[in-house]
Amino acid sequence: MKTIIEPFKIKCVEPIRMSNREERRKHLEAAHFNLFTLQSRHVIIDLLTDSGTSAMSAEQWSGIMRGDESYAGSPSFFTFEKKVRDIFGFKHVIPTHQGRAAERILFSVAVKPGMVIPNNNHFDTTRANIEFQQAEARDLVIAEGSVPDLDHPFKGNMDLALLEATIAEHGREQIPMVMLTITNNSGGGQPVSMENIREVSRICRQNQIPFFLDACRFAENAYFIKLREEGYAEKTPLEIAREMFSHADGCTMSAKKDALVNIGGFLSLNDDKLAEEARNLLILTEGFPTYGGLAGRDLEAIAQGLSEVLHEDYLEYRLASIRYLGEHLNELGVPTVKPPGGHAIFIDARSFLKHIPREQFPGQALCCALYEEGGIRAVEIGSVMFGRFDPKIGQELPAPMDLVRLAIPRRVYTQSHIDYVIEIFADLVQGRRKIRGLAFTYQAPFLRHFTARFEEV
Ligand code: F0G
C-alpha cells in the first residue's frame, strides 16, 4: 500500500521558532510546570489540543470575506443553519461562541440541583457545567473503556446495563438527559458504535428521557463506524453522521473540532420549549439568536468546514496520521491507549513512569519532560484534571487513569513533524528514570488544571 499523503497543499505558512533545552527549562520554571501558562511562541510542536487549532481551507477563507455582519437576520446565519440542519437534522439551531457555552445554556435550562446526567465520559467542561448546577455528572463507559491496553473497536460505548440501573435508581424525573460523547475524548478519543447509539436511544425513549450527543468529533466517529462496524463500509460519512443524529433529540457542538474552525459552536435540538428558553438565555449572555456570540464570517467558515470534514480523503488521512503516531510510539515501547483514537494518542503515563507515584502526577511529569526534551506541548488528562484534593483526609484522590494526550491539530502538521515527535519519545524512553514527580503549590476550586502551579518533588 502507498503512503497516505496529506490531501492538501500548503498555501500559507507560519514559522516555528526553534529553542534549546536551557531556554525551555527556564520557560518551564517560569510557567510553574503548567504548560497552559507557557507562551505558545516558546513551543515547537503544539499538541496541547486539537480544539480551535485547525488550518482553514481557501474556501473557508473565502467564506470569511463573504460573511455578512448584520446584527439580525444575516444571510451567513441562514447558510450556517441550513448546513447544520442538513447534517444534524434537528429543528432548532442555536449558535454559540464555543461548545461550553452550548453546554452551559442547555444545562441552565434543563438541569436542577441533585439531578444526575449519565454520559460515556464527561469532558472537563461538561462535568464542570453540570456540577455548577449542583447536579452529578456520571460516567458510564463500558468496562473495556477504562483499560488502556485493551483493544476494542468501540471503547467509547456506554454500558447499557449501568444506564438502566442508573435510571432504575434515580427515576426519570431526576435524569434530565442522557449524553454520549462522540468520540469519547476523556476515554482516549474512542468511538461509539451505531449499535450503542441506537440502544442508548431506545432506553431513553422507553423512559422518556431526552438523549443528547456531545458532537465535537462526530465526523471522526462516523468514519470509525464506516471502518469498523458491519453494514457501514459502503455508506458515506455524511449518511452515517445523519443516522447517528437521527437517534438523538439534540446535540452540543464545539465547532473548534470537527467544523475545522478556530472559534464557534452550537446547540441544536428538537424540543420547542427548551429551545425557546435556551434562546432567551442566549440573548442574555451570548448574543442575538442569528449570531450567538460569533461574527457572520465565523458562521460561513463553520458551514464550509462542516462540508469539508466529511470528505472521505480527509477522514482517511486524518485517522491514518493518528494511527501512524500511535504505532511508532508502541514500537518504542511507549504504552498508549489502544487502539489509537480519532484526534489524539493518549499515553498511559502511570505505566510509562512507574517510579512516580500517583500522588505525584506522572501525567503532568511526562508533559513537562516532553517539553523540556523537545519543545513539544501535550496535555495531562489524569489526576491533575480529574483528581481532587480531599480536605477531610488532607490528601489527593487520583483519577482512574493518568493519561497524556498528544492531540493533533487538523491539517496543521506534516509527517516530518510527527517523525520529530517520535524521535523525542525515543530519547525519553532512554532517560525516563530521571523524570521527577510534581506537587501542587496552588490549585483553584474548579477546572484546576488551567491555573495550577507545581514544584518538582
Ligand atoms: N466536549 C468535548 C468532548 C470536548 O472535547 C470539548 C473541548 C468540549 C465539549 C468543549 O468545547 O472548548 O469549544 O468549549 N475540548 C477541548 C480539548 C478543549 O482540548 O479537548 P469548547
Side-chain angles (χ1 to χ4, degrees), residues 27-260:
H27 297 318
L28 195 58
E29 285 171 5
H32 301 277
F33 300 93
N34 183 343
L35 305 185
F36 281 107
T37 7
L38 274 181
Q39 292 187 40
S40 61
R41 65 195 176 96
H42 296 146
V43 175
I44 296 177
I45 306 277
D46 205 345
L47 308 183
L48 182 70
T49 179
D50 63 319
S51 180
T53 51
S54 298
M56 289 205 294
S57 66
E59 279 306 312
Q60 285 178 293
W61 282 109
S62 308
I64 294 272
M65 281 310 294
R66 230 176 9 247
D68 178 295
E69 303 306 339
S70 306
Y71 188 93
S74 158
S76 300
F77 170 75
F78 296 107
T79 304
F80 160 82
E81 184 188 48
K82 185 160 175 268
K83 178 51 75 179
V84 174
R85 278 217 190 109
D86 180 49
I87 299 170
F88 296 75
F90 304 117
K91 184 168 169 196
H92 302 280
V93 180
I94 301 173
T96 58
H97 79 274
Q98 59 185 88
R100 69 197 68 182
E103 292 163 9
R104 194 191 60 81
I105 288 173
L106 175 65
F107 301 147
S108 300
V109 298
V111 177
K112 305 263 172 311
M115 288 181 161
V116 177
I117 292 95
N119 202 328
N120 41 5
N121 286 113
H122 291 271
F123 191 62
D124 61 352
T125 59
T126 324
R127 171 173 298 280
N129 272 301
I130 289 170
E131 291 175 356
F132 191 66
Q133 302 294 332
Q134 294 164 17
E136 183 193 333
R138 194 173 291 185
D139 291 342
L140 301 181
V141 74
I142 53 170
E144 291 91 333
S146 311
V147 188
D149 202 30
L150 196 137
D151 214 320
H152 181 289
F154 292 104
K155 257 178 141 172
N157 283 355
M158 182 177 274
D159 186 321
L160 301 172
L162 280 180
L163 175 61
E164 290 188 306
T166 305
I167 297 172
E169 183 191 344
H170 295 278
R172 72 177 172 87
E173 301 73 25
Q174 283 304 97
I175 303 179
M177 72 190 72
V178 172
M179 296 188 79
L180 265 182
T181 307
I182 54 170
T183 58
N184 188 21
N185 186 4
S186 310
Q190 300 293 327
V192 179
S193 70
M194 190 70 84
E195 190 195 356
N196 196 253
I197 294 174
R198 206 182 293 125
E199 284 301 296
V200 170
S201 171
R202 183 184 58 76
I203 294 170
C204 286
R205 295 227 158 121
Q206 251 171 23
N207 292 280
Q208 294 168 284
I209 298 172
F211 173 34
F212 278 76
L213 291 169
D214 178 340
C216 305
R217 299 178 179 87
F218 76 98
E220 288 161 9
N221 200 94
Y223 207 66
F224 276 122
I225 289 177
K226 183 179 168 85
L227 296 178
R228 296 182 185 169
E229 193 162 348
E230 221 186 299
Y232 290 93
E234 301 305 320
K235 295 214 153 93
T236 65
L238 174 62
E239 287 167 335
I240 298 171
R242 282 182 180 147
E243 185 179 336
M244 293 181 334
F245 293 111
S246 74
H247 295 296
D249 302 297
C251 72
T252 54
M253 172 76 185
S254 168
K256 300 171 74 171
K257 285 83 167 171
D258 271 352
L260 301 173

Side-chain angles (χ1 to χ4, degrees), residues 45 47 325-326 328-336 345-349 352-353 363 365-371 373-379 403-408 417-432 435:
I45 306 277
L47 308 183
L325 173 60
H328 281 79
L329 291 184
N330 292 156
E331 279 167 21
L332 291 172
V334 178
T336 60
I345 291 299
F346 291 68
I347 295 157
D348 181 356
F352 185 59
L353 301 177
L366 178 56
C367 289
C368 292
L370 254 179
Y371 176 70
E373 187 71 32
I376 299 161
R377 177 157 68 170
V379 70
L403 303 179
V404 165
R405 185 183 72 172
L406 306 173
I408 312 297
H417 292 115
I418 300 300
D419 285 333
Y420 169 80
V421 173
I422 294 162
E423 287 164 16
I424 296 299
F425 266 97
D427 294 342
L428 283 185
V429 167
Q430 297 302 317
R432 72 173 107 175
I435 300 173

